[in-house]
Amino acid sequence: METEHVLRFPATTQGFHDAVTALRVILDARPLPARHRHDIEIVFDEVVTNIVNHGRPSGSVDAVIRFGKETILTFEDEGAAFDPRAQPVPPPARRRSDLRIGGLGIVIVRELCARVDYERTPEERNRLTLRIAVPDRDVDPTAEFPASK
């Protein structure tokens, strides 16, 4: 059975924190494999952080979470247009000095999602839809790394 939850929150740091709290309440009410829950939380955190910190929308962020054969996260905001699919993958770090904080959120989202779709709506809003596959089994119930897919 498919279920849907809608979160609307201000595009602020406090709005982000409130949305994460609301997401955890939603996830606590579902019997999800630990790894799947982890992936949902990480993807949600990365996307909303980028919307709030870089897109700088002046209004609210709408996040729709659909649970079914896969988990679908859809985010809408009126911030600056940004298609994460068009962003280049940063080169792998070869030395410690190559490591930088930030910039890896897109890489993480691409890795954890089965599909990433983006569109700029006629209303000039960003719509990002992410599909996260539900694992057949929880290959790593502790949600620790490294884990095989």
Side-chain angles (χ1 to χ4, degrees):
M1 178 174 86
E2 189 169 299
T3 59
E4 179 177 289
H5 301 271
V6 178
L7 300 175
R8 175 173 280 158
F9 52 95
T12 63
T13 301
Q14 186 59 52
F16 163 74
H17 291 297
D18 294 343
V20 168
T21 299
L23 175 68
R24 288 185 179 144
V25 169
I26 291 166
L27 296 177
D28 285 345
R30 301 194 64 83
L32 297 172
R35 178 177 172 173
H36 189 60
R37 178 187 171 122
H38 173 264
D39 291 354
I40 293 167
E41 288 178 310
I42 292 292
V43 168
F44 188 93
D45 184 279
E46 290 294 337
V47 169
V48 176
T49 297
N50 284 341
I51 290 170
V52 171
N53 291 338
H54 303 295
R56 306 213 185 273
S58 58
S60 63
V61 176
D62 297 329
V64 178
I65 304 122
R66 286 183 202 91
F67 296 99
K69 293 181 182 178
E70 61 187 349
T71 300
I72 303 171
L73 304 176
T74 302
F75 299 90
E76 277 199 27
D77 68 85
E78 80 283 351
F82 181 78
D83 184 349
R85 301 168 309 169
Q87 304 310 305
V89 175
R94 298 196 189 284
R95 300 181 309 265
R96 225 180 231 286
S97 61
D98 293 338
L99 295 172
R100 300 280 182 258
I101 294 174
L104 293 178
I106 292 172
V107 174
I108 293 167
V109 169
R110 286 177 180 163
E111 178 67 25
L112 297 179
C113 294
R115 184 170 171 176
V116 175
D117 292 308
Y118 170 83
E119 68 177 304
R120 187 74 172 172
T121 70
E123 298 83 19
E124 296 296 309
R125 291 176 61 84
N126 294 302
R127 181 179 296 140
L128 180 64
T129 303
L130 307 162
R131 297 172 185 276
I132 304 172
V134 178
D136 293 334
R137 58 186 176 84
D138 205 357
V139 295
D140 184 13
T142 65
E144 295 293 328
F145 289 104
S148 60
K149 283 190 170 185

